[in-house]
Amino acid sequence: MRLRYAVVCSSNQNRSMEAHFLLKREGFDVCSYGTGTHVKLPGPSLREPNVYEFGTPYKQMFDDLRRKDPELYKRNGILPMLKRNLAVKTAPQRWQENGPDGQFDVVFTFEEKVFDVVVEDLHNRVQVLLKPVLVINLEVKDNHEEAAVGARQTLTLCQEREAIDRWEDVIDDVISTFERQHRRKVVYTISFY
Amino acid sequence: MSSSSQREQALSLLAAANNHGDLAVKLSSLKQAKDIIIISSIDDDFSLFADQLFPYLVQLQSSHHSLVRKTLIEVVEDISLKTMEHSPVLMPVLLTLLNDDDSVVARHSIVAGTHIFCSVLEELALQFHRHGFVERWLEEMWSWMLKFKDAVSRIALEARPVGPRLLAIKFLEICVLLFMPDNDSRGHIAEVPKSSQVFNISWLAGGHPVLDSIALQSEANRSFMILLDLLRLASGHPGCITISVVNSLATIGRRRQVHYSSVLSALLDFDANLISKGAHTPSIQYSLRTAFLGFLRSTHPVIMESREKLLKVLRAMNAGDAADQVMRQVDKMIRNGERAARDARASKDEQPSSHMLKRSTPMDQEHIVSSDSSSKRSRYGSIIQSESGQNHSVNGVSTKAQPLANGLTPVEQMIAMIGALLAEGERGAESLEILISQIHPDLLADIVVTNMKHLPKNPPLLTTVTRQNGPPTSSSLGAPTMPNHVLTNTISSELPTTASSTNLQPDLKRESRRDPRRLDPRRGALPGGTSSEHIMEDFTTSAQPGLAESDVDMSALFKRQPPPPPVLSSAENASEIVMPKAETESHDPENITFSLELVPDEQATQVGADMEFNIVSDVATPPIDYVNKELNAEKSTDIVMTDEEHSLSFMDDDQLSPCTVDTPVLEETSVELPVVPSYVELTEKQQKDIRKLAIKRIIDSYKQLRGAEFMQTRMALLSRLVAQVDADDDVIMMIQKHIVSDYQDQKGHELVMHVLYHLHALKMSDSSEDSSVAFVYEKFLLGVAKCLLDVLPANDKSFSRLFSEAPFLPESAFKLLDDICCSDNNCGKDIRDGDRVHQGLGSLWSLILGRPNNRQAFLDIALRCAVHPKDDIRSKAIRLVANKLYVIEIISEKIEDFATNKLLSAVNKPVSEAEQRTEGQIGSQETSISGSQISEPGTSNIDPATGSQSDSQSDSSMSPALAQQHLSLFFALCIKKPSLLQLVFDRYDYAPKAVKQAIHRHVPILIRALGPSYKDLLKIISDPPQGSENLLTLVMQVMCEGTTPSADLVVTVKRLYETKLKDATILIPILSTFTKNEVLPIFPRLVQLPLDKFQTALAHILQGSAHMGPALTPAEVLVAIHDISPEKDGVPLKKVMDACSACFEQRTVFTQQVLAKALNQMVDQTPLPLLFMRTVIQAIDAFPKLVDFVMELLSKLVSKQVWRMPKLWVGFLKCISQTQPHSFRVLLQLPSPQLEGALNKYGSLRGPLAAYANQPSIKASLPRSTLQALGLASEPQLQQQNHAASFNNPDKSAKVQGT
């Protein structure tokens, strides 16, 4: 059975979508989510972010921002990002509401805060299936460049995961080796569905 | 398909699965066979079928295809869950495959087994509940399950593939959760409804033939211990095992608070060093962090208590931000809960008006019951109704039709909607659940109230259902004054007995055992909380007496049901008699009933649970343990106690609807009301105990009720209760503890104030009880104060606030303050560290400001501190007194007086004879003032730095430290008010040595602090009292130190010098400002000073002021010194010589050039200075290079006929003698008589001089007489003369040398 992956960041825009895009292109079964209460995109200033509800189509955001200030949003990479996103899926989805999407085998988060939310959320769900889920946090800064790096490394981890049969036995090694090779802090935990 | 053909097909499929070569065929056959088995399981003769088929299935476990085994497990799971009755035979498969080599298979069998395990457990409980017995097959299944459990527990511990072990750990967690009672679901509203395990250990509370809840709990404990062991042995496990264990323990800790503390300590103790080599340490640490954060999210009181600790640990883990965020979230949640409660109450408050309106019109009973009962009461019903809603509305479909026609109110619309959903049956149930959870509690309540119209009309009898501890029901109905709520009490306690559904009843016992308030739903009103919680809040908020009529009604309803079937139950568990099954079967179809089958949704169950819980809490039964303890006491104790508690709350709660409103209804609806408990006279001790208990309960309630609800009520209650319990130590301790723990929120303070004011008011109003109330008051106040001191940090202001705002401070309060600030008997304790003193003093300050009545007392304490022997206490107190208190006009005088007294007492300290002597002196001085008498001997011996005056009278009884202690305050005041210094000056002379030293130590500090504004000081300086010269000098020194003295000062000092005080010492500090003309007249006086003072003066003179330059150059100084005439100026020659020497010592100042210049000036003077030659000799000694210059000087002297000045002449000759042979030329210039005299005196000169003169060039220029004198002309004669002279003058030469 194909392994199912989830990639999660805060707004399901940049980091998770970058990873989603890449993993999808590589043929993985992947979904992406955000854990925030809203989808937030940078605005004209730090104090005026563009806030959308989860579920608002990327296309709609794209149009909205293009109407507001095409120059600004092109320059800061938001419009290109949205364009990429709308090619991947319709709208940002919220992790906490992903119950119907079924169970994942591996969940990648890109920020400790997000990791905490995901773990807590899994803890609060009904755990009857006893299906283990590996949750991995890969600390990735929320900018386009880092997101690209993060996505590539996520892909590496996914490929390694695919290569092993009984992940429970080797997960410590895999994580440690990955940390050494990529000089990146990784934390994992195990939860259940 | 007929059953036989099915059977055959299944058999062939199983055979294929067993024997077919192709794996795919095997798998698909197996699955098909499973489908058939499940389909045919409904057949009557399935057991036969199963007997035939299952052995084949079991065979498959030895298939060498792991996929087949894996599929087999799935099949076994499915079949077992569907046809449990027949599956014991399949269980060995499960157990065998647990140990399968393929970890995937093993994993699957654990999962499958776990599912079956839960299901068997549930079935066990339910079967017994429904049928009253447990079938054999189920028992057999259970025994398999126990084996399974043991096997899985082993897996968790064994070194195996990690996958199965992870699941085994999870299984252990599930076991713990299943077997440990979830004794507080309130704190975890969010978690409970989601709990997949339908089984609840509490179902077994009534006893179970197979399952023993105690045994199960010990099983749970065993599993829990395994988990703890796993954590302890983390070094031997892969990282992900440890992570799983941590996660599982965290889950257990959060959901079963019984284990929370052990989980927490295990996690806290977890040693990172134990982590095995290969494990990923950061992840394990992060899992701990996650666990702690999870705890922090919990609002359960047990967990809340450890919040501080958690925060600390998290901060140490660098997770402080995350922790803070969680805290914020939780606080927000709690606030939201409170707000919701407030809203609910607010909307409730609006209702009574309409309620009253309606009441005024006569209505039939039904109406009263349905809509007229106040919302407070109806809420109560609402819960039951909402639970029973489905059933009820189904019955009353007709009611919905009517309002549909008209314009519908929101309530009616809702009812219609609910009705429609119910009509859909199973399908609508889910939507209904969602709908109900979304409805605002008030609306829901209204819905229920409106719907109550359809309740049966005739109020049924209240049959005698006795409570486990409720004999009061047997007493007479009489007592019209009996508050209604007592009745409520009885009834509501019965309610759950009949009303609640299935799993609720056992809860009653369990719930009531704990303090109900601890479980206030408010705490649990999480965002995820359902509307039912809100209802419950309302209910609790409105939990007032006077529920009677609706209560009666509701309970009456339930009473109509036939009496519960006599199921085995102990007397204690009387309330658990009714079994849901029995109820369902026996109920009258018309009635509102509850049954498991009809109320399948969890929501309703939850609601029911809440209801029951709240009823219990309202009734306020005492904790069981109390009851047990007080077995001897009347059993009605609890009720009376409740009564009291309520009646007390009556007094304060203005929300209360008057009792009278209820009374008529009560009479109407329940004419046949049974039995209310009689009024019971309690003994003193019982009363006391009950009061105590009441206090305890109220205090406990604080832990739950975070918000301001009932704040006033509770305060009022507590204050009255405290007043009643007299001075019971326990109670006061208890309240103190509570107050202090709550102090941060300021609520503690309010409470204390409330209590204190109440006690005070009692005291004021009631003089008879005066003493005891006063005693309680005092005890309480002091107790709290001490607690605050002990518990809160020293910088906390609570203590001071307490004393500031208390209505009255008893004597002992002063003593306490005194103890904090300055008592030194408990120096050993570190309580009184600096901070404490600081705190005490701070309190004093605010008290002095805020309590004018006691001002003097506080001031006294402060002042006492200000002369405390301990330096740090004293300095703190002095700072307070001088900086803060002294500025307050009304008390400044007192402070001044105190300080002055202290000063005077210090000065006059040696009270005995020393004092007398001092006084005698004063007397004598008054009569015979003679400045010189005092200044002369005094000044000459004074060392200003140490003030070591010859203080013969200074008594050793006054140590320097003591003097310091007494003077510090005064000097601190002087800084604020320099004129006070006058006193110091006045008294200086009489002060003992130690005091003087203390003064000397203080003065510099004082003067520096005063800065340039010393007008008062100038005044003192201008007229210093007798004997204060020393001090004056010191003052002057400090004043002029490092700066140019101000013109005022200079003028003042000069005037002083000119008029009164002829002591040049005082001029020294200002000398630098003097001009040459000013210095010269006083120069002799300066020379006259002791040498060191002169040196200082010299330095000042030479230094000069910045803008004027030095008054005198070094050369001028030398000249000035030489100009002093001992006779005329009255300066001893010795002093002048010393002064000269002092100059010569400073070779860097008085250089060769300076000397030459000075000597050059002086040589031209007439008369020559007396010491001129001496200085010349010293100069040539010091600077031999000056020899040529000196020779010139000597020549000049020759020309001035130096031999005519006898004193100089001697020196001259000595100089000649010392400077030979350079001096020969000068010597030869002397007239021959003088030359001869000189040669006679210094015979040794003759030879060399003759040789010198004999040189042809020189001899030629010499006059004959000279030659003669040298014997170059007539030598023998001359020689004789020479000899005679040298013999005649030995004294003289000696004398010259001496001068």
Side-chain angles (χ1 to χ4, degrees), chain B residues 386-397:
Chain B
S386 68
E387 187 186 49
S388 64
Q390 304 172 353
N391 197 344
H392 169 74
S393 321
V394 171
N395 286 346
V397 179

PDB file of all heavy atoms in Angstrom, chain B residues 386-397:
ATOM      1  N   SER B 386     -33.824  17.399  27.659  1.00  0.00           N
ATOM      2  CA  SER B 386     -33.021  17.315  26.449  1.00  0.00           C
ATOM      3  C   SER B 386     -32.544  15.891  26.260  1.00  0.00           C
ATOM      4  O   SER B 386     -32.383  15.407  25.161  1.00  0.00           O
ATOM      5  CB  SER B 386     -31.818  18.251  26.544  1.00  0.00           C
ATOM      6  OG  SER B 386     -30.954  17.764  27.526  1.00  0.00           O
ATOM      7  N   GLU B 387     -32.358  15.282  27.359  1.00  0.00           N
ATOM      8  CA  GLU B 387     -31.935  13.905  27.260  1.00  0.00           C
ATOM      9  C   GLU B 387     -33.081  13.026  26.771  1.00  0.00           C
ATOM     10  O   GLU B 387     -32.936  12.169  25.923  1.00  0.00           O
ATOM     11  CB  GLU B 387     -31.515  13.467  28.658  1.00  0.00           C
ATOM     12  CG  GLU B 387     -30.907  12.112  28.678  1.00  0.00           C
ATOM     13  CD  GLU B 387     -30.671  11.724  30.095  1.00  0.00           C
ATOM     14  OE1 GLU B 387     -31.604  11.869  30.888  1.00  0.00           O
ATOM     15  OE2 GLU B 387     -29.573  11.309  30.409  1.00  0.00           O
ATOM     16  N   SER B 388     -34.189  13.339  27.332  1.00  0.00           N
ATOM     17  CA  SER B 388     -35.324  12.505  27.002  1.00  0.00           C
ATOM     18  C   SER B 388     -36.017  13.021  25.755  1.00  0.00           C
ATOM     19  O   SER B 388     -36.980  12.453  25.298  1.00  0.00           O
ATOM     20  CB  SER B 388     -36.324  12.519  28.158  1.00  0.00           C
ATOM     21  OG  SER B 388     -36.810  13.836  28.297  1.00  0.00           O
ATOM     22  N   GLY B 389     -35.461  14.116  25.283  1.00  0.00           N
ATOM     23  CA  GLY B 389     -36.131  14.856  24.225  1.00  0.00           C
ATOM     24  C   GLY B 389     -36.662  13.984  23.098  1.00  0.00           C
ATOM     25  O   GLY B 389     -37.797  14.131  22.666  1.00  0.00           O
ATOM     26  N   GLN B 390     -35.835  13.075  22.669  1.00  0.00           N
ATOM     27  CA  GLN B 390     -36.245  12.284  21.518  1.00  0.00           C
ATOM     28  C   GLN B 390     -37.565  11.576  21.790  1.00  0.00           C
ATOM     29  O   GLN B 390     -38.542  11.723  21.067  1.00  0.00           O
ATOM     30  CB  GLN B 390     -35.166  11.248  21.241  1.00  0.00           C
ATOM     31  CG  GLN B 390     -33.844  11.916  21.046  1.00  0.00           C
ATOM     32  CD  GLN B 390     -32.747  10.895  20.958  1.00  0.00           C
ATOM     33  OE1 GLN B 390     -32.987   9.720  21.164  1.00  0.00           O
ATOM     34  NE2 GLN B 390     -31.566  11.339  20.636  1.00  0.00           N
ATOM     35  N   ASN B 391     -37.504  10.895  22.856  1.00  0.00           N
ATOM     36  CA  ASN B 391     -38.653  10.092  23.202  1.00  0.00           C
ATOM     37  C   ASN B 391     -39.889  10.959  23.378  1.00  0.00           C
ATOM     38  O   ASN B 391     -40.929  10.733  22.803  1.00  0.00           O
ATOM     39  CB  ASN B 391     -38.328   9.377  24.522  1.00  0.00           C
ATOM     40  CG  ASN B 391     -39.274   8.229  24.737  1.00  0.00           C
ATOM     41  OD1 ASN B 391     -40.297   8.189  24.059  1.00  0.00           O
ATOM     42  ND2 ASN B 391     -38.939   7.338  25.629  1.00  0.00           N
ATOM     43  N   HIS B 392     -39.661  11.967  24.134  1.00  0.00           N
ATOM     44  CA  HIS B 392     -40.757  12.822  24.501  1.00  0.00           C
ATOM     45  C   HIS B 392     -41.388  13.470  23.277  1.00  0.00           C
ATOM     46  O   HIS B 392     -42.589  13.443  23.096  1.00  0.00           O
ATOM     47  CB  HIS B 392     -40.248  13.893  25.446  1.00  0.00           C
ATOM     48  CG  HIS B 392     -41.227  14.971  25.686  1.00  0.00           C
ATOM     49  ND1 HIS B 392     -42.327  14.766  26.473  1.00  0.00           N
ATOM     50  CD2 HIS B 392     -41.282  16.228  25.226  1.00  0.00           C
ATOM     51  CE1 HIS B 392     -43.025  15.873  26.501  1.00  0.00           C
ATOM     52  NE2 HIS B 392     -42.401  16.776  25.763  1.00  0.00           N
ATOM     53  N   SER B 393     -40.597  14.022  22.473  1.00  0.00           N
ATOM     54  CA  SER B 393     -41.140  14.738  21.330  1.00  0.00           C
ATOM     55  C   SER B 393     -41.817  13.779  20.366  1.00  0.00           C
ATOM     56  O   SER B 393     -42.761  14.135  19.688  1.00  0.00           O
ATOM     57  CB  SER B 393     -40.038  15.487  20.601  1.00  0.00           C
ATOM     58  OG  SER B 393     -39.161  16.026  21.535  1.00  0.00           O
ATOM     59  N   VAL B 394     -41.283  12.620  20.329  1.00  0.00           N
ATOM     60  CA  VAL B 394     -41.940  11.660  19.459  1.00  0.00           C
ATOM     61  C   VAL B 394     -43.365  11.431  19.950  1.00  0.00           C
ATOM     62  O   VAL B 394     -44.316  11.422  19.193  1.00  0.00           O
ATOM     63  CB  VAL B 394     -41.167  10.328  19.440  1.00  0.00           C
ATOM     64  CG1 VAL B 394     -41.964   9.267  18.701  1.00  0.00           C
ATOM     65  CG2 VAL B 394     -39.834  10.551  18.757  1.00  0.00           C
ATOM     66  N   ASN B 395     -43.418  11.352  21.226  1.00  0.00           N
ATOM     67  CA  ASN B 395     -44.751  11.167  21.780  1.00  0.00           C
ATOM     68  C   ASN B 395     -45.647  12.345  21.483  1.00  0.00           C
ATOM     69  O   ASN B 395     -46.816  12.201  21.209  1.00  0.00           O
ATOM     70  CB  ASN B 395     -44.667  11.001  23.296  1.00  0.00           C
ATOM     71  CG  ASN B 395     -44.120   9.636  23.637  1.00  0.00           C
ATOM     72  OD1 ASN B 395     -44.064   8.774  22.756  1.00  0.00           O
ATOM     73  ND2 ASN B 395     -43.718   9.445  24.859  1.00  0.00           N
ATOM     74  N   GLY B 396     -45.054  13.502  21.582  1.00  0.00           N
ATOM     75  CA  GLY B 396     -45.891  14.686  21.480  1.00  0.00           C
ATOM     76  C   GLY B 396     -45.810  15.349  20.139  1.00  0.00           C
ATOM     77  O   GLY B 396     -45.633  16.547  20.043  1.00  0.00           O
ATOM     78  N   VAL B 397     -45.868  14.611  19.096  1.00  0.00           N
ATOM     79  CA  VAL B 397     -45.772  15.206  17.768  1.00  0.00           C
ATOM     80  C   VAL B 397     -46.846  16.251  17.579  1.00  0.00           C
ATOM     81  O   VAL B 397     -46.635  17.291  16.983  1.00  0.00           O
ATOM     82  CB  VAL B 397     -45.907  14.119  16.679  1.00  0.00           C
ATOM     83  CG1 VAL B 397     -45.823  14.739  15.303  1.00  0.00           C
ATOM     84  CG2 VAL B 397     -44.836  13.063  16.856  1.00  0.00           C
TER      85      VAL B 397
END
